[in-house]
């Protein structure tokens, strides 16, 4: 399958490496020429739970080189979705499908506006990775990837093909019809884990060692579940809070993506995670003080990087 992976971050590099190693035709798109050149020279380097591998996959800064892609995998941070897809729109053919496995709310909507909802697939992945350097990642957690069509089940066949390609590459994947439920269920996990790691600098599992972080996690998750219910979204876990704690335990050693961002002094996805819950809460007249507070604290952290404290 001809696949374009947009964004050589942790997930982008992981997917590109696995798919290229399995013999798929993969092009990785970057916006930074220096990094693209470096990865072209050294290859993608993966270490961690799947062992050490070095994989060759071409990296380019020219979206035109992605012409003919059957699948575009959007792996940029949620706040960059619109700017990353825009230059790719002219090269999307009638068969091209665009899949987002990103964290947070709003990616499917942004991609649907840019490319048309009939092209867009959404999903979530329990694969986790940490960037160690350009094109160099640690595969930190493995788990299922769930994908589905946004605008109905008419694309079931090609979704099944993509799932088969992922499975053959060693990325366990299933087609799931309720994309909204998937995205919201993953969102609730990020709501409970990500900002707390960014603020406390703890690893995922350590959040469960302290009554203080457990209390905030519980309140943030309760608020988010109430917003999901008010939106009519059915979550895929019967006990969402128990699921958040299970994921924190299962990924105990992980440095969550938001903490990775704060450590590297990058913008975080707080607006698309807890900020999105607070904004919806305001619109729906539901109180979300804990999500509002977490959003303001992480915003302050990212706004004060240059203060050097
Ligand atoms: O954003 C992340 O880091 C991950 O989605 C998760 C599940 C919190 C694990 O670290």
């Amino acid at each position: 399958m001809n696949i374009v992976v947009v964004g050589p971050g942790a997930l982008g590099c992981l997917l590109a490496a696995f798919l290229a190693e399995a013999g798929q035709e993969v092009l990785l798109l970057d916006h930074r020429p220096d990094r693209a050149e470096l990865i072209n020279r050294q290859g993608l380097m993966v270490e961690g739970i799947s062992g050490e591998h070095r994989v060759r996959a071409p990296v380019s800064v020219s979206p035109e080189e992605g012409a003919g892609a059957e699948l575009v995998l959007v792996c940029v941070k949620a706040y960059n979705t619109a700017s990353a897809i825009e230059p790719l729109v002219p090269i999307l053919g009638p068969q091209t499908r665009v899949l987002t496995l990103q964290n947070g709310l709003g990616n499917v909507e942004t991609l649907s506006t840019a490319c048309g909802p009939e092209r867009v697939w959404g999903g979530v992945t329990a694969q986790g990775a940490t960037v160690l350097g350009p094109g160099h990642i640690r595969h930190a957690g493995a788990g299922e990837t769930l994908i589905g069509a946004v605008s109905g089940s008419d694309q079931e066949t090609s979704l099944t093909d993509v799932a088969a390609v992922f499975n053959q590459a060693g990325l366990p994947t299933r087609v799931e019809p309720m994309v909204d439920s998937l995205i919201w269920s993953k969102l609730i996990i990020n709501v409970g884990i990500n900002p707390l790691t960014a603020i406390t600098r703890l690893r995922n599992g350590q959040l469960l060692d302290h009554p203080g972080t457990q209390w905030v996690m519980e309140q943030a998750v309760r608020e988010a579940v109430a917003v999901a219910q008010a939106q009519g979204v059915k979550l895929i876990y019967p006990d969402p809070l128990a699921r958040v704690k299970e994921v924190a335990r299962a990924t105990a050693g992980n440095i969550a993506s938001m903490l990775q961002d704060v450590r590297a002094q990058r913008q975080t996805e707080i607006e698309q995670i807890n900020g999105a819950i607070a904004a919806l809460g305001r619109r729906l007249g539901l109180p979300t003080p804990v999500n509002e507070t977490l959003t303001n604290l992480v915003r302050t952290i990212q706004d004060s990087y240059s203060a050097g404290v």
Side-chain angles (χ1 to χ4, degrees):
M1 187 172 279
N2 193 330
I3 304 170
V4 170
V5 178
V6 189
L11 186 62
C13 288
L14 183 77
L15 297 178
F18 272 68
L19 292 165
E21 205 168 29
Q24 304 302 329
E25 214 174 298
V26 175
L27 173 72
L28 190 51
L29 277 184
D30 195 356
H31 67 282
R32 273 180 45 193
D34 57 327
R35 187 170 52 186
E37 203 215 303
L38 187 67
I39 306 176
N40 270 327
R41 249 189 294 125
Q42 73 182 19
L44 291 166
M45 294 186 290
V46 181
E47 57 184 70
I49 57 166
S50 50
E52 275 192 31
H53 15 185
R54 191 186 284 251
V55 185
R56 293 270 161 203
V59 189
S60 172
V61 290
S62 314
E64 315 81 75
E65 286 184 33
E70 293 160 272
L71 181 67
V72 174
L73 277 171
V74 183
C75 297
V76 298
K77 292 284 180 187
Y79 47 82
N80 281 330
T81 304
S83 58
I85 199 65
E86 196 199 324
L88 277 160
V89 173
I91 62 115
L92 301 179
Q95 302 308 323
T96 317
R97 295 292 173 261
V98 179
L99 172 62
T100 162
L101 298 173
Q102 298 157 282
N103 281 341
L105 279 191
N107 297 302
V108 161
E109 293 75 7
T110 302
L111 293 173
S112 297
T113 306
C115 318
E118 67 290 348
R119 279 188 204 281
V120 179
W121 292 338
V124 292
T125 184
Q127 297 289 347
T130 310
V131 174
L132 301 175
H136 183 191
I137 54 159
R138 182 185 305 118
H139 190 188
E144 229 181 4
T145 299
L146 304 172
I147 59 174
V150 172
S151 59
S153 57
D154 52 333
Q155 298 154 358
E156 194 71 26
T157 324
S158 33
L159 265 171
T160 313
D161 291 347
V162 170
V165 164
F166 273 54
N167 280 310
Q168 185 247 338
L171 303 161
T173 301
R174 229 163 13 93
V175 177
E176 165 66 57
M178 287 161 27
V179 176
D180 258 7
S181 298
L182 291 180
I183 291 174
W184 269 88
S185 301
K186 174 81 189 284
L187 176 77
I188 304 275
I189 291 167
N190 293 131
V191 160
I193 295 178
N194 292 30
L196 278 171
T197 64
I199 294 164
T200 62
R201 312 251 168 168
L202 294 173
R203 288 176 189 253
N204 296 357
Q206 293 173 304
L207 297 178
L208 303 177
D209 296 341
H210 304 275
T213 42
Q214 280 218 49
W215 186 87
V216 181
M217 177 188 281
E218 285 168 16
Q219 305 309 313
V221 168
R222 278 210 184 98
E223 290 176 8
V225 170
V227 170
Q229 279 163 354
Q231 289 275 97
V233 176
K234 197 174 171 323
L235 298 173
I236 59 174
Y237 309 113
D239 183 344
L241 181 59
R243 179 64 192 160
V244 176
K245 291 185 177 176
E246 204 177 292
V247 172
R249 263 190 297 273
T251 60
N254 269 28
I255 300 169
S257 54
M258 200 172 284
L259 176 53
Q260 290 185 46
D261 290 338
V262 165
R263 281 172 141 194
Q265 304 209 335
R266 284 190 298 254
Q267 190 179 341
T268 73
E269 294 179 314
I270 192 69
E271 303 301 338
Q272 289 76 21
I273 299 176
N274 305 77
I277 296 296
L280 278 170
R282 275 194 300 276
R283 202 176 312 150
L284 296 163
L286 284 172
T288 56
V290 174
N291 280 282
E292 194 86 63
T293 304
L294 289 169
T295 303
N296 276 297
L297 287 174
V298 176
R299 252 184 219 149
T300 307
I301 291 173
Q302 67 189 16
D303 288 352
S304 55
Y305 290 146
S306 59
V309 276

